């Protein structure tokens, strides 16, 4: 259950063929919905970006540029594509369905059974773009086809120090965090790797990751269900909804906390601490320390 970088994998012809020109020709003018950001650090909590639609070939050429003659926000704006299904609310991303011509170039490492497959997410990022720190609920491979990325990772056990809002951390700048606002962040142990073209990063479920595209690059994320299929929310098209048992437990906890509000403050504090101790005793792993 630790991240690892796999090198020298057989990934197909994508690592040599996927130039800007080839991608533009292979996927053509199919319209894609993209994130456009005027700043390097994208924040999914404050939504400091806009969604725009472009023909794929136009988008790829723009994403590969450093400065733009045509733009939405500024000549230095950055672009990010996270492929989705035909109906983003219902259909799961699968490169074989959304980009069948490109899918023929890719050989996905078979470290899971075919029935465990969940999604294959096609990603393209401008140079310098940094994605927010978050976790996913499924195991996945980040296949770096072209370009370079830096990935900072944090263990699930360090969740108390990451200032979470749902699945995402409020700490955007992990290199120069605001420690007055996020003092506990210094306790989070950082793991880091640099991915080059052809590298594959295994990211176990629940591991937090923050990704910077050091160059214009193309990647493919492959997610699979490593828990029994019934553990997952059937309405989850992105692979980031908590397992159904975890969601139910959180709802029960919220109701319990609401019930505590009926007590005076000193009683509420006392029984809340008892609840924390009970959770630690019953649910924490002993080998976490």
């Amino acid at each position: 259950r630790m991240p690892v970088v796999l090198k020298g994998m057989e990934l197909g012809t994508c690592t040599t063929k996927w130039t800007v020109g080839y991608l533009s020709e292979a996927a053509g003018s199919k319209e894609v919905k993209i994130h456009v950001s005027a700043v390097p650090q994208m924040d999914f909590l404050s939504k400091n970006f806009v969604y725009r639609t472009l023909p794929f070939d136009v988008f790829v050429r723009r994403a590969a540029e450093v400065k733009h003659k045509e733009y939405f926000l500024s000549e230095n704006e950055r672009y990010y594509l996270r492929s989705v299904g035909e109906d983003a609310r219902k259909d799961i991303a699968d490169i074989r369905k959304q980009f069948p011509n490109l899918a023929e170039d890719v050989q996905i490492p078979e470290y899971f059974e075919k029935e465990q497959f969940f999604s294959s997410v096609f990603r393209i990022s401008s140079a310098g773009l940094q994605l927010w720190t978050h976790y996913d609920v499924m195991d996945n491979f980040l296949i770096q086809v072209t370009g370079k990325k830096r990935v900072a990772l944090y263990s699930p056990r360090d969740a108390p120090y990451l200032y979470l809002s749902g699945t995402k951390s409020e700490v955007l700048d992990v290199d120069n965090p605001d420690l007055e606002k996020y003092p506990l962040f210094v306790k989070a142990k950082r793991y880091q790797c640099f991915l080059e073209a052809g590298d594959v990063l295994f990211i176990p479920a629940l591991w937090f990751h923050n990704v910077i595209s050091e160059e214009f690059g193309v990647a493919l994320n492959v997610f699979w269900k490593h828990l029994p299929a019934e553990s997952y929310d059937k309405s989850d098209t992105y692979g980031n909804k908590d397992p159904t048992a975890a969601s139910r437990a959180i709802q029960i906890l919220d109701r319990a906390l609401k019930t505590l509000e009926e007590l005076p403050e000193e009683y509420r504090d006392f029984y809340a601490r008892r609840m924390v101790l009970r959770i630690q005793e019953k649910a924490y792993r002993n080998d976490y320390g």
Side-chain angles (χ1 to χ4, degrees), residues 107-256:
Q107 183 176 320
I108 294 172
E110 295 183 0
Y111 280 81
F112 52 90
E113 301 298 329
K114 283 183 170 58
E115 61 270 17
Q116 291 179 289
F117 172 85
F118 176 72
S119 66
S120 51
V121 182
F122 187 48
R123 301 182 190 271
I124 297 180
S125 300
S126 293
L129 187 72
Q130 183 172 16
L131 297 185
W132 53 90
T133 304
H134 68 285
Y135 71 87
D136 300 298
V137 299
M138 297 182 193
D139 284 354
N140 73 90
F141 281 140
L142 174 56
I143 302 171
Q144 191 64 28
V145 180
T146 70
K148 295 180 180 179
K149 279 193 175 77
R150 187 202 75 180
V151 186
L153 301 113
Y154 301 91
S155 165
R157 73 184 70 181
D158 284 341
Y161 315 131
L162 297 179
Y163 297 88
L164 297 185
S165 178
T167 63
K168 304 163 190 69
S169 170
E170 294 180 10
V171 186
L172 290 183
D173 191 342
V174 296
D175 298 307
N176 297 288
D178 182 344
L179 295 180
E180 286 190 11
K181 191 174 183 181
Y182 307 114
L184 294 179
F185 185 70
V186 294
K187 294 186 176 184
K189 182 178 179 180
R190 172 173 171 159
Y191 299 80
Q192 184 166 282
C193 64
F194 294 88
L195 301 180
E196 298 187 355
D199 289 348
V200 179
L201 172 62
F202 169 56
I203 307 177
L206 309 184
W207 272 77
F208 296 88
H209 43 287
N210 178 288
V211 182
I212 290 182
S213 295
E214 298 197 322
E215 301 174 343
F216 163 77
V218 184
L220 184 67
N221 243 160
V222 181
F223 293 84
W224 65 92
K225 298 179 178 181
H226 67 291
L227 300 179
E230 61 271 17
S231 301
Y232 301 98
D233 188 324
K234 289 184 173 61
S235 68
D236 187 6
T237 57
Y238 288 89
N240 58 8
K241 288 188 177 180
D242 291 315
T244 51
S247 296
R248 289 199 310 272
I250 290 170
Q251 290 170 2
I252 292 167
L253 177 60
D254 286 341
R255 289 199 296 271

Side-chain angles (χ1 to χ4, degrees), residues 44-64:
F44 201 80
L45 296 174
S46 69
K47 299 290 197 301
N48 66 345
F49 53 85
V50 296
Y51 291 105
R52 292 292 183 266
T53 302
L54 282 174
F56 183 84
D57 52 354
V58 175
F59 156 68
V60 172
R61 288 195 297 270
R62 281 209 205 175

